[in-house]
Amino acid sequence: MTFTTAIMSIPTAYATLSNAIPGKPYILSITPLPSSSHLILRHPSSDLTIVDNQTLQAVDKFAGGHDGNVMDIKNADGAVWSGAKDAAVVRWDERSRRPATKLKGTCGDLA
């Protein structure tokens, strides 16, 4: 009895940014933009870079919503939400690239 194993070939892509983004030395996370084929890159900064998903070229950014570094990005209910070290949660308006809603928390002593 002979067994043959089919080896699936998974293409490997080595996409890199051909132009560095000033002040953004590395990427912390990549999140799809819900309404388009763009991606959102999170860097150690207070804004988010929007890039083309094929070329990884920067096309725009979400800015003006946070005073501290963005710690997380989520797509929920067809919207982009981010939370940062400034204790704020921002819902972004994809058309204007500005904050649509900002929830500001405070950090106090929990004990």
Side-chain angles (χ1 to χ4, degrees):
M1 179 179 257
T2 312
F3 292 99
T4 56
T5 305
I7 299 174
M8 293 182 62
S9 176
I10 300 172
T12 303
Y14 297 99
T16 58
L17 291 172
S18 60
N19 297 315
I21 301 171
K24 311 272 192 274
Y26 53 92
I27 299 168
L28 294 169
S29 67
I30 302 171
T31 305
L33 195 59
S35 66
S36 74
S37 61
H38 293 125
L39 302 171
I40 306 167
L41 305 182
R42 181 173 65 91
H43 306 276
S45 73
S46 61
D47 60 318
L48 303 165
T49 304
I50 302 169
V51 299
D52 179 80
N53 71 343
Q54 296 296 312
T55 65
L56 296 182
Q57 293 298 307
V59 295
D60 209 342
K61 65 182 177 177
F62 287 127
H66 293 290
D67 295 323
N69 287 353
V70 175
M71 301 305 292
D72 200 10
I73 307 167
K74 296 291 182 203
N75 290 329
D77 299 325
V80 176
W81 293 80
S82 62
K85 286 188 172 185
D86 61 359
V89 174
V90 172
R91 180 183 178 274
W92 295 95
D93 179 346
E94 288 187 52
R95 286 181 286 160
S96 71
R97 310 293 198 225
R98 308 297 297 168
T101 304
K102 185 171 183 175
L103 308 170
K104 184 72 173 164
T106 58
C107 297
D109 187 11
L110 298 177

